[in-house]
């Protein structure tokens, strides 16, 4: 992105942020990329090496729980030592500067919370939490690695990762909280998401329809780049701190 274009975009966005009372931020895998977390759809993305329908659907888990757990155990090991980056940290700072701040993430890595973000709406769950397929209990489980087929500490039922797979409903409280914030936002930042997975993909447009100025920060163009009010092309870890 040309320097001049970037500066113009940053200037516009900073001026909107200055007067903003309600800021909503939606993040995707791209914000964690500089921490070492693989994205899903990029060149080295997870869905380039693995078929999502074999690993991230309730049917896949029913068919072959061992394979699904192998995938999630591998990812838990990979994520375990990773730390938040400058983009996560800049969002913690932004939160302090506006009266109402809502952070919505599609990420399951928990890095926003590690950075110090207060209330995070996790649309797709959290990989450090498990859910019992028998008794329904959810709890935090940070043991790495877990057994091939981990069992519930309460009832010995089979556990699953507490994440949202394709074809599954998002938690209605989380989704409700997200749309409530989108409807009253003055400014929205959409950071590091390809905008391919619903309902998250529609959130920027929902905020725009409700009158917010919407800015995208992404390494590559997305279907929304030219529709939102501002598109800042580059790394989240470099651009988000420049908003402060
Ligand atoms: C950088 C960067 C750097 C890189 N700096 N940027 C309407 C129409 C059609 C289909 C549907 C529809 N409504 C629902 C559906 C079905 C489905 C869906 O959306 N399918 C589409 C693929 C077509 N949705 C669902 O099933 C959802 N459930 C639902 O809607 O329930 C109701 C319903 C059910 C059935 C039918 C209809 C309604 C659930 C979706 C669950 C998604 N789950 C996953 C896995 C989570 C667990 C796990 O991690 O294992 O969530 S899939 C995966 O994609 C993960 C992510 O959160 C999600 C989004 O990916 P994200 O974050 O955008 O990552 P990438 O890799 O795609 O993009 C990274 C971006 O970063 C890129 O743009 C890079 O350029 C950029 N980047 N480095 C800045 N340094
Ligand atoms: Zn149980």
């Amino acid at each position: 992105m040309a320097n001049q274009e970037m500066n113009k975009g940053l200037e516009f966005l900073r001026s909107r942020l200055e007067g903003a009372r309600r800021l909503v931020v939606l993040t995707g895998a791209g914000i964690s990329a500089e921490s070492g977390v693989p994205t899903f759809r990029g060149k080295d993305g997870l869905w380039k090496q693995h078929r999502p329908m074999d690993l991230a659907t309730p049917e896949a888990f029913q068919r072959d729980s061992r394979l699904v757990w192998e995938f999630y155990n591998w990812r838990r090991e990979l994520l375990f030592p990773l730390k938040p980056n400058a983009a996560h940290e800049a969002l913690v700072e932004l939160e302090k500067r506006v009266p109402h701040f809502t952070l919505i993430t599609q990420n399951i890595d928990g890095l926003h919370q590690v950075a110090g973000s207060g209330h995070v709406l996790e649309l797709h769950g959290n990989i450090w939490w498990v859910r019992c397929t028998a008794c329904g209990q959810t709890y935090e489980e940070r043991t790495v690695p877990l057994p091939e087929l981990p069992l519930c500490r309460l009832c010995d039922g089979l556990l699953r990762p507490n994440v949202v797979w394709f074809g599954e409903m998002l938690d209605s409280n989380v989704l409700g909280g997200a749309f409530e914030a989108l409807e009253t936002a003055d400014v929205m930042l959409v950071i590091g998401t390809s905008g391919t997975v619903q309902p998250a993909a529609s959130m920027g447009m929902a905020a725009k329809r409700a009158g917010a100025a919407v800015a995208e920060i992404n390494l590559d163009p997305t279907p929304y780049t030219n529709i939102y009010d501002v598109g800042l092309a580059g790394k989240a870890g470099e651009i988000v701190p420049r908003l402060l």
Side-chain angles (χ1 to χ4, degrees):
M1 189 177 196
N3 234 343
Q4 207 180 349
E5 213 180 320
M6 170 69 79
N7 286 337
K8 219 174 111 197
L10 278 170
E11 209 173 293
F12 170 83
L13 191 52
R14 282 197 204 106
S15 74
R16 295 305 293 259
L17 281 170
E18 234 162 68
R21 290 193 52 76
R22 294 177 179 272
L23 171 62
V24 176
V25 179
L26 170 69
T27 65
I31 198 171
S32 293
E34 290 157 78
S35 292
V37 180
T39 61
F40 292 93
R41 294 168 187 83
K43 174 165 63 61
D44 303 315
L46 288 174
W47 296 157
K48 287 277 146 67
Q49 301 145 46
H50 311 273
R51 285 166 18 134
M53 294 308 144
D54 292 343
L55 297 167
T57 65
E59 293 78 18
F61 188 69
Q62 219 156 29
R63 209 168 39 237
D64 195 344
S65 317
R66 213 175 278 272
L67 178 74
V68 173
W69 262 116
E70 195 185 320
F71 176 62
Y72 281 91
N73 261 332
W74 167 71
R75 286 174 64 202
R76 284 165 62 98
E77 277 189 61
L78 192 145
L79 290 174
F80 193 75
L82 302 185
K83 303 270 184 299
N85 63 56
H88 296 104
E89 280 155 14
L91 290 183
V92 178
E93 197 49 44
L94 264 183
E95 178 170 4
K96 297 180 192 156
R97 299 192 184 186
V98 282
H100 300 278
F101 177 90
T102 305
L103 179 52
I104 308 169
T105 190
Q106 297 169 81
N107 300 344
I108 47 94
D109 55 34
L111 288 177
H112 284 301
Q113 292 89 329
V114 177
S117 282
H119 182 54
V120 186
L121 293 170
E122 295 181 306
L123 295 176
H124 297 160
N126 188 307
I127 198 166
W128 301 113
W129 281 65
V130 288
R131 182 160 91 237
C132 178
T133 59
C135 74
Q137 185 67 40
T138 58
Y139 54 90
E140 194 172 7
E141 176 52 270
R142 285 191 176 262
T143 310
V144 166
L146 285 169
E148 277 183 15
L149 283 177
L151 301 180
C152 176
R153 44 166 99 121
L154 303 171
C155 78
D156 265 353
L158 177 63
L159 292 172
R160 58 163 281 178
N162 196 32
V163 299
V164 180
W165 286 324
F166 284 111
E168 290 188 313
M169 293 299 200
L170 280 67
D171 181 287
S172 58
N173 288 324
V174 173
L175 199 57
F179 276 102
E180 202 180 299
L182 292 166
E183 272 149 30
T184 54
D186 302 316
V187 181
M188 176 175 184
L189 309 179
V190 180
I191 306 173
T193 174
S194 59
T196 46
V197 174
Q198 297 293 353
S202 308
M203 290 185 172
M205 290 312 290
K208 193 166 161 55
R209 271 196 303 274
V214 182
E216 178 183 75
I217 297 168
N218 200 306
L219 211 44
D220 293 320
T222 76
Y224 298 97
T225 308
N226 296 319
I227 303 174
Y228 294 154
D229 301 281
V230 189
L232 300 174
K235 291 187 173 178
E238 288 166 13
I239 298 177
V240 186
R242 291 179 71 185
L243 297 178
L244 296 171

